[in-house]
Amino acid sequence: MSNSKLEEFKRYIRNRKVAFIGIGVSNIPAMKYLSKMGANVTGFDKKTYQELGDICIELESMGIGLSLGEKYLETLMGYDVIFRSPTVRPDMIQIQRELKMGAILTSEIEMVMKMCPGTIIGVTGSGGKTTTSTLIYNMLSEQGKDCYLGGNIGVPLFDKIEEMNEDTIVVLELSSFQLMTMNKSPHIAVMTSLAPDHLDIHTSLEEYYDAKTNIFKYQNEDDILILNYDNEILREYIPKAKGRVRLYSQTTKLDTGVIVADEKIKIANNKVRRHIIDCNEIAMVGKYNQMNLCAAVLATDGIVDIENVAKVARTFTGVHHRMELVAVKDKVKYINNSIASSPIKSITSIQDIEQKIILLAGGYDKHVDFEDFAKTIIEKAKVVFLFGETKYKIKEAIDRQLEEINSNLEVVMCDNFDIATKKAIDYAVEGDMVILSPGCASFDEFKNYQERGNRFKEIIESY
């Protein structure tokens, strides 16, 4: 069966002027695809021709125009459709000028949501969304479903739409930046958590929260909203949902939903509970990962057999850079949790570790509050090695907390990431656990959290 929405879009886009702001991983396949459809495509990027490299030659060979460098948006005039990269704010003057002239603002992931003929499962949250998205995808794959994983994770999906049909299930990890301009919600929406984050790009906490709620704002009564009941902010969204609400918890024995109780994951329906798996059988480490599993169980309920859900839970050890065991050297464990790019992500990751840890923290300043992070550091760490733009802010937050809390925590200020990591290695003795869980983004020293995590692994392996 042909995809009527896609066919209609193909007819519309031919000979249209289309701008892509940001020549990155998600936009490049869409640029090529639309160019082949007959659209007049131009890519805009603040990076120079030299910085972008060979991709410029490839795009130009396809007839795709380029506007690059510091003044890259000066030529953004007279476009019919504008695709923005996630971190490009929609309220930029040049974009708003075009919208007033009748341009349509969208994104690669938004078009996937609108044109996919199958089912969309969207996952967002201030933490846990990557692991939860991957768990859902793995469960669907284990069941033999025709499924894709995209959004903030996986591969760009715009040029895969032609392969999709009514039985296709697309799992999308959705960031607040991707959700900001969304006017369509997924059929199944999952919200894993909500806490202050990304205030370096969002103008306010309210804007950040509003962006997140777009994941369910446009649902209808046949759709499903899955919420972490243990998150106080998410509980407030229950009465605002238009679709059916399903909940999960590890603190409350819900009559209906998925719970962690008696060291088991159980799914309940009107107080009748079915056992999914014992917690000690789950391959992933940490109680927060038990919650990610609960969310995935609900998202696949009625789609994936319990046996296949349990099989994935027993075999999936987690995603790279998420509490990843890098090595055990001289009986010291080294854990890479570079994904923890906000305080809440670090807090969630380390709060249920029983022993005192050696912590590496700091990085790019997203203008968030570090008070709760400081409390957790004092509680869980015997020493913390601080680095990056935020090291003084974190140190100040720790000092304020230490005025009221009696602690032997040692705080070591370091000039950069490499020095902090090497000092942590030198400090560690048999039985210690060294954890990179920065609580901050990586952009002051690294391109992304993956590069930061890989550098951590390189130092550990070679030291």
Side-chain angles (χ1 to χ4, degrees):
M1 183 181 293
S2 64
N3 185 337
S4 59
K5 291 180 181 177
L6 179 59
E7 295 305 315
E8 181 182 348
F9 177 75
K10 284 181 178 180
R11 290 191 294 270
Y12 166 79
I13 207 68
R14 187 169 181 79
N15 296 322
R16 300 279 182 178
K17 286 189 69 176
V18 180
F20 282 84
I21 304 180
I23 303 174
V25 174
S26 63
N27 276 346
I28 289 171
M31 291 171 69
K32 294 177 180 179
Y33 185 61
L34 293 193
S35 179
K36 290 176 183 177
M37 283 187 186
N40 182 2
V41 177
T42 302
F44 294 76
D45 203 293
K46 196 171 185 178
K47 292 180 180 177
T48 64
Y49 200 99
Q50 290 73 25
E51 287 172 324
L52 287 169
D54 292 344
I55 188 61
C56 293
I57 299 172
E58 183 181 353
L59 294 175
E60 286 182 325
S61 71
M62 298 178 65
I64 295 173
L66 299 174
S67 181
L68 309 174
E70 282 294 326
K71 299 180 179 179
Y72 70 114
L73 288 180
E74 284 189 359
T75 58
L76 185 69
M77 291 182 286
Y79 283 85
D80 300 300
V81 182
I82 300 171
F83 284 76
R84 70 174 185 94
S85 291
T87 54
V88 172
R89 286 196 58 88
D91 55 4
M92 293 179 72
I93 295 171
Q94 299 90 337
I95 294 176
Q96 288 299 311
R97 182 184 63 206
E98 287 295 281
L99 296 184
K100 289 177 182 177
M101 298 296 292
I104 297 170
L105 180 64
T106 187
S107 65
E108 180 261 349
I109 205 66
E110 189 169 346
M111 293 304 291
V112 169
M113 289 182 65
K114 288 181 176 179
M115 291 192 292
C116 171
T119 300
I120 301 284
I121 301 176
V123 182
T124 197
S126 301
K129 57 184 179 291
T130 300
T131 299
T132 301
S133 301
T134 307
L135 278 167
I136 293 169
Y137 173 76
N138 288 356
M139 290 171 184
L140 293 169
S141 298
E142 191 65 38
Q143 187 73 18
K145 297 292 183 181
D146 174 35
C147 55
Y148 294 82
L149 178 63
N152 246 16
I153 189 175
V155 297
L157 298 177
F158 193 90
D159 58 349
K160 307 290 184 185
I161 296 171
E162 297 205 41
E163 303 172 9
M164 300 175 186
N165 56 56
E166 291 180 355
D167 295 325
T168 298
I169 303 175
V170 175
V171 183
L172 298 176
E173 179 194 325
L174 298 170
S175 70
S176 59
F177 310 132
Q178 290 168 317
L179 287 164
M180 274 183 79
T181 54
M182 287 277 189
N183 57 16
K184 181 177 176 59
S185 298
H187 306 99
I188 301 173
V190 181
M191 299 189 78
T192 60
S193 61
L194 202 52
D197 199 2
H198 298 301
L199 298 183
D200 55 324
I201 295 179
H202 288 292
T203 57
S204 66
L205 189 58
E206 182 181 15
E207 182 187 90
Y208 172 62
Y209 287 170
D210 283 347
K212 289 290 193 182
T213 61
N214 279 345
I215 198 169
F216 69 84
K217 194 177 294 181
Y218 304 99
Q219 286 188 318
N220 60 46
E221 59 186 14
D222 295 323
D223 295 327
I224 297 172
L225 173 61
I226 296 169
L227 297 175
N228 175 358
Y229 189 75
D230 296 346
N231 186 280
E232 186 177 348
I233 301 170
L234 294 184
R235 286 202 299 272
E236 296 177 5
Y237 294 155
I238 295 174
K240 299 178 182 180
K242 296 177 182 177
R244 292 170 288 158
V245 177
R246 304 201 69 186
L247 306 171
Y248 62 99
S249 173
Q250 62 182 1
T251 62
T252 304
K253 292 188 177 181
L254 304 167
D255 292 338
T256 299
V258 173
I259 61 172
V260 182
D262 307 318
E263 290 300 309
K264 301 177 188 297
I265 306 291
K266 301 177 182 180
I267 186 165
N269 187 13
N270 294 326
K271 298 184 180 180
V272 177
R273 297 190 173 104
R274 288 181 294 157
H275 172 254
I276 302 290
I277 191 171
D278 290 350
C279 291
N280 61 14
E281 296 180 77
I282 299 170
M284 295 181 296
V285 175
K287 291 183 179 179
Y288 63 96
N289 273 325
Q290 293 174 12
M291 289 293 279
N292 293 333
L293 180 59
C294 288
V297 169
L298 274 182
T300 57
D301 185 33
I303 304 172
V304 178
D305 297 337
I306 285 179
E307 293 79 10
N308 288 327
V309 168
K311 183 176 180 180
V312 170
R314 291 188 184 98
T315 56
F316 180 64
T317 57
V319 184
H320 290 308
H321 310 293
R322 291 157 180 81
M323 294 302 284
E324 173 190 11
L325 178 61
V326 172
V328 179
K329 286 191 170 185
D330 299 323
K331 296 185 180 180
V332 176
K333 290 183 179 179
Y334 294 92
I335 307 292
N336 169 23
N337 194 40
S338 184
I339 185 63
S341 56
S342 67
I344 188 61
K345 290 178 181 176
S346 281
I347 292 168
T348 303
S349 300
I350 66 178
Q351 66 184 357
D352 60 343
I353 295 175
E354 294 181 1
Q355 73 179 83
K356 287 279 188 175
I357 64 173
I358 298 170
L359 181 65
L360 290 156
Y364 176 77
D365 192 354
K366 294 197 290 185
H367 307 295
V368 296
D369 185 273
F370 289 114
E371 297 303 318
D372 287 341
F373 190 29
K375 290 178 185 176
T376 303
I377 291 172
I378 293 169
E379 179 187 354
K380 293 295 180 180
K382 63 179 182 179
V383 58
V384 57
F385 294 89
L386 297 176
F387 56 88
E389 289 180 359
T390 58
K391 63 184 178 184
Y392 294 110
K393 283 189 174 182
I394 299 173
K395 173 69 162 56
E396 289 167 4
I398 290 172
D399 288 343
R400 283 191 292 272
Q401 296 298 328
L402 286 174
E403 290 177 2
E404 300 180 9
I405 302 171
N406 183 24
S407 171
N408 295 320
L409 174 71
E410 185 177 350
V411 180
V412 182
M413 306 296 281
C414 304
D415 289 340
N416 57 48
F417 178 84
D418 281 22
I419 290 172
T421 303
K422 291 172 183 176
K423 283 189 175 183
I425 296 170
D426 290 338
Y427 184 96
V429 296
E430 182 179 321
D432 276 339
M433 182 182 293
V434 178
I435 301 181
L436 167 64
S437 193
C440 304
S442 58
F443 307 127
D444 54 342
E445 288 191 64
F446 303 96
K447 291 179 181 178
N448 49 45
Y449 73 84
Q450 294 98 325
E451 185 178 84
R452 177 173 61 190
N454 288 333
R455 179 59 186 154
F456 177 71
K457 290 194 275 189
E458 287 172 4
I459 296 172
I460 299 303
E461 289 165 3
S462 62
Y463 204 69

